[in-house]
Amino acid sequence: AVLYSVGMMPGGIIVGYVSDLFGGRRAVVIGVFMCMLIVFLGVFAVYSEAGLSPGALLVMLGCMGILVGGPNNIITSAVAADLASHPSVLGNNKSLGTVTGL
């Protein structure tokens, strides 16, 4: 479980970099990462009890952490950035502080 959490840390950087490679299309990259996660979950479910080596399962957990953590970090930061630039928030420090805290 630790490798899953450790995998979540670089996930945002990886998804951000890949998103930049695709011209800032965050939704496409997040969709691809989620589809890859479904494949990893299926393989993990089948082979976790079928006798796959513990090392391979740990690597898969790290990869799943990247595939979950990356989109999570990108979605939350993109929503905060979009809300912070909304016209209703401009000039209102209290609203901007709330959006920043999100």
Side-chain angles (χ1 to χ4, degrees):
V2 172
L3 284 179
Y4 178 78
S5 297
V6 169
M8 291 181 78
M9 291 179 214
I13 297 169
I14 293 169
V15 170
Y17 180 75
V18 173
S19 173
D20 289 344
L21 291 176
F22 286 98
R25 292 191 199 165
R26 292 185 298 252
V28 173
V29 174
I30 290 170
V32 169
F33 270 60
M34 290 292 107
C35 289
M36 289 171 46
L37 177 64
I38 291 170
V39 172
F40 266 87
L41 287 172
V43 170
F44 187 80
V46 169
Y47 289 109
S48 63
E49 298 200 15
L52 194 63
S53 71
L57 291 174
L58 291 174
V59 169
M60 288 180 66
L61 277 174
C63 290
M64 286 190 286
I66 290 171
L67 294 172
V68 168
N72 179 39
N73 294 336
I74 294 297
I75 289 170
T76 55
S77 63
V79 166
D82 290 344
L83 285 176
S85 64
H86 195 270
S88 65
V89 178
L90 295 177
N92 189 343
N93 290 336
K94 190 173 184 179
S95 296
L96 187 58
T98 301
V99 168
T100 305
L102 293 175

